[in-house]
Amino acid sequence: MSQKCIHGDLRATVVCLFLGVALMATGCKSDPSLFGGCSTQDMTSCPQSDGFVNPYSQELELLSWPATLRKASLELTGKLPTDRQMQTTAEFGQTGFEAALAEIMRDEAFFERIMELYNDHFLTDKYLGRENAIELLDEDVYPNLRWFDRKYPGDDQKARMTNDSLAREPLELIAHVIRMERPFTEILTADYTMANGFSALSLVGLPDVPLGVGENPESFQKVQIPGVPHAGILTSPMFLNRFPTSDTNINRHRSRMAYWFFLDIDINQFGSRPVDASDDFGENPTLTNPNCTVCHTTMDPVAGLFMNWNESGEYSGEGEWFGPDYILAPGFNGEALPDDERTRALQWFAQRLADNPRFAQATVKTVFEGLTGQKILDISVAATPEMAEAALQMPAPKADGLGGAGGMGGAGGVMGLGGAGGDMGVGGTGGDTGVGGSAGAGGPGGVGGTGGVGGGETPPLPDLDPTIDPTVPAALQRAYNLQQQILRTIQSRFIASNYNFKLLVLEIVLSPYFRAKNAAPMTAEMEMELSTFGTARLLTPEHLTRKIEATTGVRWRQRPDRPDYLLDQYRIFYGGIDSDLVTKRVTEPNGVMASLAQRMAYEVACSAVPYDFSKPVKERFLFPTVDADTKLSESSDQVRETVRHLHSRLLGEVVSDEELDATLGVLMQAYSLGRQGLADGTVSEDLADPCRLNRDRNTNTQLPDGRRINRDSEYTIRAWMAAVSYLLADYGFLYE
């Protein structure tokens, strides 16, 4: 990615050629340093990505560039693109699209979206609200922790703001690194933490002045806590508390999560085999019993690197390593922690994580699955009983060394470029190469069997071919191979860009997994092969909330001073998480979710339609071509154009004649029945109470008489409500 594309004519899109599906770029490269300054007003500073060809050009239709922009903008910010961004994209194609996307990724909503994505993993939002985060910290360590009690006694708002600022510290660090366009590895190597005017007073006792940007005490800035050797997220009290330790666990939980989050290695997969409890291997089986060492030889050395951080996630100076008879010596990947690095052990570890190519693999996996809603394919063979038996026959590791970390062949057993599936290699022995496991399917070499300290250094494991399940259909194997090629290409570009996170997002959005639209009629085999493309997933409560506001101009809530339904009482019912007891999202709809979607469609239409009609024509989202009293007719060009606009606005589609007629049918049927009811007196001219408009839907301010809408004497408003409700309940609105 060192060579940039030179654009002589902005109207000419630079074309990068590829050979078949091997996705071998011919030399058109991006200059990451230019991406931050890229805009639709001046595209001379815009890079051009190599992008990806359509591997199934005859069967798979990709979204147009304007349609891709709409989808990406809704996904990344919950907003629709501006008219200028859409026009630039339509005129300049991919070049215009990338300029528009660069602008979108400077919106604060983008950083909120990324924090949301990473909270799905870290789950630190568990500590939001009340004083959950404050209670995790020790006032002996932070004497000014409860500064608000002294300065503002009884001020619950100051307490809550301080608490929530402390809770969001690890996620704000991620946002800061991306916002500043720093290498994404800095989420691990940062020698600072993030704080604002509330949390900084608690952590470092700064004077009572706004720390944030400008005069906003809620905005975060870099802060260094005196005497604390910061190592990005690894030393975040909230992160460490979310994955706690104990006297017997001695940081093994934290070690496991570090492998999982930052290297895409699930240590639990090492030990997915029967254990004979009758075996006697001494007082400390973690050092002597192969049933245990298969995991502990990898996990325990890293656990030792957390020795300076206590149960509350606070730095306690030079910590205590429990000695060779209890746990393996601190280190990572065959390298022992030097004695002179003991006080900054996590900084030492963080640099080695950042230098490991698997960090890029783990990041690609996290962002790919977050933006597409898809799990990466895994078709590898699970570990066999024979493999497990072989592991049990391995001699015990040396107590004074790190032992082999086990063969984590290919992509570490968690599926090629990082999925959740394959079983990892079994544990190696004291300094010898780990026995290659059944490996996840492909990927760069594993972390490698670690050499025993003092017992010779074990070379890293080579790249291993995946052990493909022979029962997997050939079509799925082809889909897997193509996905691996694309994801590895994205990973290599991410590394070559010096870990530019925004460029990583761009690459994923450009991939056919994000841009796929429709597939032509095909055989069952081809349907299986193409099943991984496209992101037709049920929107999360957060996504749907943002989309409702972006497309209709109103929010789904009882009143403006109340929280949105999908972010409050309906969050869990609609498949969301609370980062505490509910930590996995529901991705397949159920009966409760369907009922909520139907209620949402009716209530949002009831609220949005009168509100839109009350505004000046130029400010309307939904009805720029008709008024509330415009008579409805199926043959009216004005009415038909409005229906086309609603399809475009709400569903992002150019409506077909068949779909247009279906929506018109709903509109006209509601209109006809309503008019009949008005004529015979069974229907009132008054709108239902929830649909009446007397106050602004967003600000709750009283509207002037000319903008109030309480009656619908022609039944046109309610007919349009029916049409809008019909579209809001459509799968195209509820899904990507």
Side-chain angles (χ1 to χ4, degrees), residues 91-114:
E91 186 173 359
F92 298 114
Q94 183 177 342
T95 302
F97 167 80
E98 294 189 15
L101 190 67
E103 291 180 346
I104 287 168
M105 289 194 288
R106 288 193 287 272
D107 192 304
E108 277 303 305
F110 168 71
F111 305 109
E112 286 292 330
R113 169 70 183 108
I114 299 303

Side-chain angles (χ1 to χ4, degrees), residues 446-494:
V447 173
T450 57
V453 178
E457 185 174 337
T458 301
L461 290 174
D463 288 346
L464 299 178
D465 292 329
T467 304
I468 302 297
D469 187 341
T471 64
V472 172
L476 202 56
Q477 291 191 33
R478 291 193 299 271
Y480 169 83
N481 290 334
L482 177 61
Q483 187 178 76
Q484 287 296 302
Q485 289 170 346
I486 293 177
L487 292 179
R488 290 190 194 184
T489 299
I490 293 174
Q491 179 182 338
S492 64
R493 293 176 182 175
F494 180 45

Side-chain angles (χ1 to χ4, degrees), residues 105-279:
M105 289 194 288
R106 288 193 287 272
D107 192 304
E108 277 303 305
F110 168 71
F111 305 109
E112 286 292 330
R113 169 70 183 108
I114 299 303
M115 287 193 286
E116 176 186 294
L117 187 155
Y118 267 90
N119 182 67
D120 278 8
H121 294 276
F122 297 159
L123 302 172
T124 50
D125 276 355
K126 167 186 177 180
Y127 303 124
L128 293 174
R130 300 182 300 278
E131 296 185 15
N132 298 340
I134 295 173
E135 292 168 356
L136 296 173
L137 303 179
D138 190 341
E139 287 193 72
D140 291 336
V141 179
Y142 301 106
N144 206 39
L145 179 64
R146 304 187 67 88
W147 64 272
F148 47 85
D149 283 344
R150 294 188 293 273
K151 189 167 182 64
Y152 304 101
D155 191 331
D156 292 339
Q157 184 179 13
K158 293 291 192 302
R160 180 183 60 79
M161 294 298 298
T162 302
N163 178 87
D164 290 359
S165 300
L166 290 168
R168 294 237 91 187
E169 177 262 333
L171 300 179
E172 288 287 349
L173 174 61
I174 292 174
H176 172 79
V177 169
I178 300 170
R179 185 182 289 108
M180 297 294 105
E181 300 194 20
R182 300 289 299 160
F184 196 62
T185 51
E186 196 163 304
I187 69 168
L188 297 172
T189 62
D191 63 348
Y192 56 87
T193 187
M194 300 300 295
N196 62 17
F198 297 97
S199 58
L201 291 169
S202 294
L203 296 175
V204 293
L206 293 178
D208 187 15
V209 296
L211 180 68
V213 178
E215 298 298 319
N216 182 9
E218 296 182 42
S219 60
F220 284 78
Q221 290 185 6
K222 295 165 53 175
V223 170
Q224 290 180 319
I225 302 176
V228 174
H230 293 288
I233 290 172
L234 293 175
T235 56
S236 163
M238 297 302 114
F239 178 82
L240 293 171
N241 269 285
R242 195 63 183 85
F243 308 105
T245 187
S246 66
D247 290 340
T248 54
N249 179 265
I250 50 175
N251 292 307
R252 287 168 173 139
H253 188 191
R254 292 169 174 172
S255 171
R256 181 203 163 213
M257 301 316 295
Y259 271 106
W260 178 242
F261 290 141
F262 307 121
L263 295 175
D264 191 26
I265 294 170
D266 186 359
I267 289 179
N268 281 348
Q269 294 287 338
F270 292 8
S272 57
R273 53 186 56 86
V275 176
D276 187 351
S278 65
D279 290 340

Side-chain angles (χ1 to χ4, degrees), residues 501-678:
F501 188 89
K502 290 184 177 180
L503 282 172
L504 168 60
V505 172
L506 170 65
E507 297 287 358
I508 292 173
V509 168
L510 290 177
S511 77
Y513 297 100
F514 190 89
R515 291 189 64 205
K517 178 184 179 183
N518 291 320
M522 62 189 74
T523 63
E525 185 178 24
M526 183 58 71
E527 185 175 347
M528 179 184 295
E529 189 167 348
L530 296 180
S531 62
T532 59
F533 290 93
T535 56
R537 55 155 172 180
L538 187 71
L539 293 174
T540 66
E542 295 85 356
H543 273 100
L544 186 55
T545 296
R546 293 189 288 264
K547 188 174 184 179
I548 290 169
E549 183 178 15
T551 55
T552 69
V554 301
R555 299 167 69 174
W556 187 33
R557 52 188 176 180
Q558 188 173 14
R559 8 181 246 261
D561 60 337
R562 297 287 182 87
D564 293 70
Y565 284 122
L566 289 170
L567 301 183
D568 190 40
Q569 63 257 53
Y570 296 158
R571 179 197 293 267
I572 304 302
F573 291 122
Y574 204 74
I577 64 174
D578 62 7
S579 301
D580 185 10
L581 300 177
V582 183
T583 59
K584 297 293 184 182
R585 296 185 180 274
V586 176
T587 58
E588 297 294 331
N590 53 43
V592 172
M593 296 166 73
S595 296
L596 282 175
Q598 291 175 353
R599 176 179 171 182
M600 177 279 296
Y602 170 76
E603 293 187 0
V604 171
C606 165
S607 177
V609 171
Y611 186 53
D612 204 68
F613 276 129
S614 77
K615 295 186 291 186
V617 172
K618 291 183 178 181
E619 297 179 13
R620 294 180 189 174
F621 283 8
L622 305 175
F623 304 105
T625 58
V626 296
D627 291 317
D629 57 357
T630 300
K631 295 229 183 319
L632 303 185
S633 169
E634 197 167 353
S635 60
S636 167
D637 291 340
Q638 194 178 13
V639 171
R640 296 179 72 87
E641 182 58 33
T642 301
V643 173
R644 292 185 190 277
H645 172 76
L646 289 175
H647 273 265
S648 175
R649 179 79 190 183
L650 300 178
L651 304 182
E653 65 182 10
V654 178
V655 65
S656 67
D657 290 340
E658 183 180 3
E659 291 168 326
L660 176 66
D661 290 339
T663 306
L664 273 172
V666 172
L667 174 71
M668 296 309 300
Q669 184 179 18
Y671 183 61
S672 176
L673 291 174
R675 296 277 295 173
Q676 182 179 337
L678 289 172

